Structures are given as structure tokens and as C-alpha cells.
Amino acid sequence: SNGCLEPTNFVLKTRGSAVNMMLRFILVGFLFFVSDSAYTQDGLPKLITIKAGDNQALINAINTANADTAAGTYYIDVETGPNGETGFEFTGAYDATNNALPTITRSITIRNFLDNNKTQNVTFTGSGNRDFRLLNVEGGRFELWDATIQDFGVNGESGGAILATGNTFLECRRCRFENNGSDLNGGAIACNANTQLWVTRSELVGNRSSNLGGAISVEGNCDALIGTGDSKYGNVFRDNTAGVFGCDLNVQTSNDVRLAGNLFDSANCQNVLVENPYGRMIARYNTFVHAGNGIDSTGVAQLLGNIFLGPSSVNQLYSLSPAPSKQQAACHDFGSGAF
């Protein structure tokens, strides 16, 4: 009645008003985000939504991201196609290259927003011949989530499905690589130069190379993290093959390669699951199911808490080779004492 506000009520009302305004601001911003195709401010992430089955839309989205030098990360979200499509099929390479998609030179993340709430991966399917890979990452940052990459391959180059070169970051999360091939190294993935490679919670099945690294080849100065120590974040390697060595993995890098919480299950591999010619490898909490050698190393290999499962004649550690030549779980090639 005297025109004065009771202090406690005033404080409460002021706080409530501020909270309401903040919530409204957040809500409006969120609605703008989900309703608009992209942020409009430079340096912030942008969003492009495409439909599965529309190859040209995916190509256009990558080209748009590559051309936008002011933006942060581009998120390309894949939704179910109009006729229920859940993936992309490629019958030829893009623009006279060895890749189905444009080379990625900026920061791009492809995410799975199919109707089935991520219970099914977005599929990327090649021709089944060694005529082109899915993509090359060169100087950019590329993340691929919840996807299956199958039936790609190249001749005369490494990286049957994905090749990472230059100052590049590549992450594959909850992906499946199947039936990809290269007549050089890395049937599914190859990285070289000053790249970073992360592969977590993924499956690599039935990939092949004619030379080294049936599934993955880590070369040059590539720094690789394969699994993260907890088995639920590790990867499964199964039935991959290499013409020379390393049915699952080839390590030829001056940087560290960390293997943690993975299952290497290529019992039909007759040479070696993991080949480490001159790399620096740290292997923790992995399981190796092998018929030939589990690991060959002339580089540096640190082993902690791994399980080797193989025939009794093979399942021996720290034996020198070739004096005499015999298969081992972990083999010091040429008597180098590498473990």
C-alpha cells in the first residue's frame, strides 16, 4: 500500500524472470537450430540434412563444406530416404578420381539420423571391384559415425575404403568395414604423413590387401588410437587377410600406435595378425586369436595384459626368429629383441 516491494519477493521475482528469459532464449536458439539448415555465423558449426539414397546431395554437401573456409565443423545428418532408403550405393568414381566422394579438406562429420534410432547403420556401398574407394581425407578433419562401408577397393594405392593424408584427423566411431580391398596396404583404412587416426567401437571384417595391413595400415608419421582400453570401446577384427604380413594391422610409423581393448580374431591368417616393422606400438588388454604369429615386431612393442589364443605349438612368447624359424604368438623378427 505504501508503494514499496517486499525485498524477498522482489529477489524471487527477478530471479524467476531471468530464468524464464534464459529458457526462452535457449528454446528459441534450439528451435532455430533444428529448423534451419545451418548456422549463419562464421566460425560456428553448420548443419546440412540430406536423405539416404541421394548421392548427389551428399556430394553437394561435402563440396559446400569444403568451400566454406570461414565455418567450423559441418555436420551432415543422414535421414531415411523417401522410399525407405538407408544408405548410398556408388557405381562409379567422382569426377575422374579414385574416390566415390569429393576429397575432404575441411572439418566434416557425417551422422546417422535414420528413423530406426541408430539401430541400423547408414550404408555406403561400392561396386565390389577395386576401381574406387569411398573417400580421401587430405588436410581436413573427418568423423564418420554409425556407418557401414563395404565393397570398395583400389589398385595401385593404399586405403581400400578410406585414405587419410596430410595434416588430417580421421575418426571412425561405431562403424563396420567389410569386404574392402587394396592391392597395396590397408584394405579398409590407410593413413600416412602427419595424420591422426581414431577407430573405436567398430568392426573390420573380411577386408584384404595384397601387401601389408589387411584391415588397417598406419604409415609415415600417422598417430593412431585403435580402441580405448575398455572392451566396450574396442574394435573387432575378423577374417581380414594380407598377401604379405599383417592380416589385421600394419604399423610403419614414427609415432605411437595404441591398441587397447580389441579382439583380433583372424584364425585363418597364415602369416601374422599385427606386423610392426619399425613402429612404436603399445598393446594393452587385447585378445589375439591366431594360427600364425600374433605379433611380429622389429620396432618397439610394449605388451600389457593381452591374451594370445592359438595352437600350443604357436602360442609362445618372446622367441627369436629365424633361429630356428617357427611361428610364435609374439615374435622378435631377426632376433632384434623388440619387445
Side-chain angles (χ1 to χ4, degrees), residues 43-110:
L44 292 176
K46 296 189 177 182
L47 173 66
I48 299 176
T49 300
I50 64 173
K51 297 295 185 181
D54 191 342
N55 292 8
Q56 190 59 52
L58 178 56
I59 291 171
N60 293 343
I62 293 173
N63 283 332
T64 297
N66 284 338
D68 192 347
T69 58
T73 298
Y74 264 81
Y75 291 95
I76 302 176
D77 290 351
V78 180
E79 297 180 343
T80 303
N83 298 310
E85 296 93 342
T86 58
F88 304 87
E89 296 184 5
F90 300 91
T91 58
Y94 167 77
D95 200 21
T97 66
N98 286 337
N99 311 310
L101 296 172
T103 296
I104 290 177
T105 59
R106 302 292 297 172
S107 180
I108 298 175
T109 298
I110 296 180

Side-chain angles (χ1 to χ4, degrees), residues 2-17:
N2 61 6
C4 296
L5 294 173
E6 197 273 325
T8 302
N9 289 337
F10 177 78
V11 172
L12 288 174
K13 288 181 180 180
T14 302
R15 287 177 179 172
S17 177

